Amino acid sequence: MKKNNIVLVGGGSTWTPGILKAMTTHLDAFALNRIVLYDVDEKRQEVIGEFAKILFKEEAPEVELIYTTDKEVAYKDVDFVFCQMRTGGFAMREKDEKIPLSLGVIGQETCGPGGFAYGLRSIRDMEEMVKDVRRLSPDAWILNYTNPAAIVALALDKLFPEENRILNICDQPVNLLRSFASLIDEDVNNLESVYFGLNHFGWFTEIYDETGKDRAPEIKEIVLNGGFRPVDAEQRDQSWLETYAMVEDMLVDFPEYLPNTYLQYYLYPEYKLSKLDPEWTRTDEVRIGREQKVFQECRRIVENGTAKDSKVVHNDAHGDMMVEVAASIANNLRKTFVVMVRNNGIVANLPADSMVEVAASLGKNGPAPYAVGNIGTFYKGLIENQYAFERLTVEAYMEGSYTKALQALTLNRTVVDAKKARKVLDALIEANKEYWPELK
């Protein structure tokens, strides 16, 4: 088995320890030669990087591990790029959430105006990253987990239409699948799902077990009679527990398919707005929760010189999925994952150039998506509206168009009112002067 060279972009992220732990436990499936952690924030990178050195010294000493803020070092001679950058950091995420809320509109990291703002910031850095990687590692696979993945995926497809080694992927479908599996006492690895939509905007239609039986009807009944919680509920903040609980509400109203949790913002925008606090958002929760806990634990591990006693640093669905996706490509395993791909008829009655999220097998030649066929009028209408928002957002970036930015926000189901859209857009332009192209 070939030993791979990896760069993890956004190496100072709180998700990095879990990804690294997953790498150490999946070495039999995904062999490693060198790991580079790369981040533009030197202080964050150093804390995670020093922890990483201890982890790999204890669990995989044969693997070279370095961390850097130099992209010339980071992207040189790599086989895989795991990308999870956050342009603007938590300071800008806070603005993404609180500015819309202050103007009477949902403020959320990837949905609505917050996702719009984050997307316009992310595109520039993602474009630069792809160009840098292709200059230093022409054949590397770029596995992108950067949010908002729907907007980023569409932008990269427009900017690099001939690329066939960029794969955009999100962990929420597998997080949901793990939680569904726990409800029916099944191993998630024995389940195969049928899924369609856009990123953070999709539905599971069937979930098959090893015998070929569709377990989706059973899962729906369990949720409708007992609610829904994530399988790792004890590790989740309160906002995530509330998010998963909304699956029951969505099934009561729309029982045909199992929904992605993010659909709650689009189906119930007024209700969700009434539950959000403009002074205390998810960013605040993460800062005093996951952010603080992970960095404190990494500092403790560095001080003690061992990670063996850590109860905080462990495999999670996010890390496992990232490694398993890379292993399936590197070793031509052709395992099934839910990924984002150019539609081209996969969902027959959606635009060909939309970036749909569907099940696909992954091998050395990338994703081979499974056809979905035609979808119903309700889902088609919702998706076409959301895709129009995403496409106008990308075009606003590429053309520097204020009009298209305003059109995008006006279309979004969390806004819908053009006067609100203009107020939010103008406030976000002011907040993002350092990051956005000028919109005229």
Side-chain angles (χ1 to χ4, degrees):
M1 188 186 302
K2 179 188 174 183
K3 292 187 175 182
N4 296 281
N5 294 331
I6 307 297
V7 59
L8 185 54
V9 182
S13 166
T14 57
W15 293 104
T16 299
I19 297 168
L20 294 173
K21 181 67 175 177
M23 287 181 180
T24 66
T25 57
H26 289 285
L27 284 169
D28 58 334
F30 187 57
L32 296 171
N33 176 59
R34 183 181 78 243
I35 299 172
V36 182
L37 304 184
Y38 170 62
D39 205 298
V40 296
D41 189 325
E42 187 174 6
K43 290 183 179 180
R44 290 177 67 91
Q45 181 64 96
E46 183 177 8
V47 175
I48 303 295
E50 289 300 312
F51 149 77
K53 286 184 175 180
I54 291 170
L55 176 71
F56 274 81
K57 181 180 179 181
E58 292 183 330
E59 300 197 14
E62 72 281 5
V63 178
E64 179 187 4
L65 188 139
I66 62 173
Y67 61 90
T68 183
T69 57
D70 184 348
K71 65 184 180 183
E72 300 296 321
V73 174
Y75 298 143
K76 182 70 173 175
D77 297 329
V78 296
D79 300 296
F80 285 89
V81 179
F82 290 8
C83 186
Q84 54 172 9
M85 66 173 70
R86 180 184 289 281
T87 299
F90 279 102
M92 292 309 298
R93 174 177 177 172
E94 183 174 22
K95 293 181 180 182
D96 293 344
E97 294 169 349
K98 292 183 177 178
I99 288 174
L101 284 169
S102 73
L103 296 169
V105 177
I106 281 176
Q108 205 279 333
E109 180 189 14
T110 68
C111 301
F116 169 86
Y118 189 10
L120 288 185
R121 289 199 307 276
S122 297
I123 294 170
R124 181 189 67 182
D125 286 350
M126 289 297 297
E127 180 180 10
E128 180 182 317
M129 182 270 292
V130 172
K131 289 177 178 177
D132 287 333
V133 171
R134 287 293 168 253
R135 176 170 55 86
L136 295 164
S137 296
D139 297 322
W141 271 97
I142 299 172
L143 306 182
N144 176 51
Y145 303 87
T146 296
N147 273 321
I151 291 170
V152 169
L154 186 59
L156 293 180
D157 191 57
K158 300 296 184 188
L159 291 165
F160 304 100
E162 303 305 316
E163 267 284 353
N164 60 6
R165 290 196 169 218
I166 298 177
L167 181 65
N168 298 279
I169 192 164
C170 175
D171 65 359
Q172 190 58 2
V174 76
N175 281 328
L176 285 166
L177 202 55
R178 286 186 177 210
S179 298
F180 294 148
S182 71
L183 294 179
I184 54 175
D185 295 321
E186 281 283 351
D187 183 340
V188 68
N189 295 307
N190 295 334
L191 297 178
E192 187 162 347
S193 62
V194 180
Y195 186 92
F196 75 89
L198 308 172
N199 178 241
H200 288 183
F201 205 98
W203 294 263
F204 290 92
T205 61
E206 291 93 20
I207 298 176
Y208 296 108
D209 63 19
E210 280 189 304
T211 70
K213 181 181 179 181
D214 178 15
R215 307 295 293 275
E218 182 182 347
I219 293 167
K220 289 182 208 173
E221 282 300 312
I222 293 171
V223 172
L224 288 169
N225 289 301
F228 188 45
R229 286 166 62 83
V231 66
D232 54 352
E234 71 285 350
Q235 300 168 25
R236 298 283 188 140
D237 294 326
Q238 182 61 31
S239 64
W240 269 113
L241 301 183
E242 294 167 0
T243 291
Y244 273 70
M246 285 295 292
V247 169
E248 181 181 0
D249 295 69
M250 288 188 275
L251 279 177
V252 168
D253 290 332
F254 309 106
E256 188 173 14
Y257 301 137
L258 287 160
N260 191 301
T261 50
Y262 285 89
L263 283 163
Q264 64 182 300
Y265 295 104
Y266 303 104
L267 297 176
Y268 311 109
E270 291 185 12
Y271 173 79
K272 289 303 298 182
L273 179 62
S274 73
K275 298 296 182 180
L276 296 173
D277 183 351
E279 303 301 323
W280 183 265
T281 64
R282 175 71 181 147
T283 302
D284 298 298
E285 191 178 45
V286 171
R287 276 175 170 155
I288 68 163
R290 181 182 182 89
E291 175 89 354
Q292 199 172 87
K293 182 168 65 176
V294 169
F295 275 85
Q296 283 179 351
E297 179 66 355
C298 286
R299 290 188 180 99
R300 186 193 69 81
I301 287 169
V302 172
E303 185 177 336
N304 293 347
T306 180
K308 290 187 179 296
D309 62 343
S310 178
K311 295 181 181 179
V312 173
V313 178
H314 52 75
N315 286 41
D316 54 29
H318 179 71
D320 282 337
M321 182 199 69
M322 290 175 80
V323 177
E324 288 168 6
V325 164
S328 191
I329 293 172
N331 303 319
N332 204 31
L333 300 180
R334 303 191 65 77
K335 291 178 66 175
T336 299
F337 298 89
V338 175
V339 300
M340 284 157 259
V341 293
R342 194 186 302 165
N343 185 29
N344 282 345
I346 298 165
V347 183
N349 53 343
L350 288 180
D353 63 346
S354 57
M355 292 296 287
V356 293
E357 192 169 54
V358 294
S361 67
L362 288 182
K364 282 191 177 294
N365 295 316
Y370 305 134
V372 173
N374 289 320
I375 57 174
T377 302
F378 176 67
Y379 308 98
K380 180 175 182 287
L382 284 171
I383 290 172
E384 285 184 329
N385 176 269
Q386 180 69 3
Y387 169 62
F389 156 75
E390 293 170 2
R391 178 168 177 165
L392 285 165
T393 300
V394 171
E395 290 176 354
Y397 171 88
M398 297 176 73
E399 299 170 22
S401 172
Y402 181 95
T403 297
K404 287 194 171 180
L406 181 60
Q407 289 173 343
L409 286 177
T410 302
L411 274 176
N412 194 280
R413 284 182 56 85
T414 68
V415 183
V416 303
D417 183 283
K419 290 191 180 297
K420 280 187 178 180
R422 185 178 288 275
K423 287 180 181 178
V424 173
L425 176 58
D426 289 346
L428 290 174
I429 287 173
E430 183 65 26
N432 285 274
K433 281 182 177 178
E434 296 179 37
Y435 301 99
W436 286 8
E438 184 179 1
L439 299 180
K440 299 178 181 178

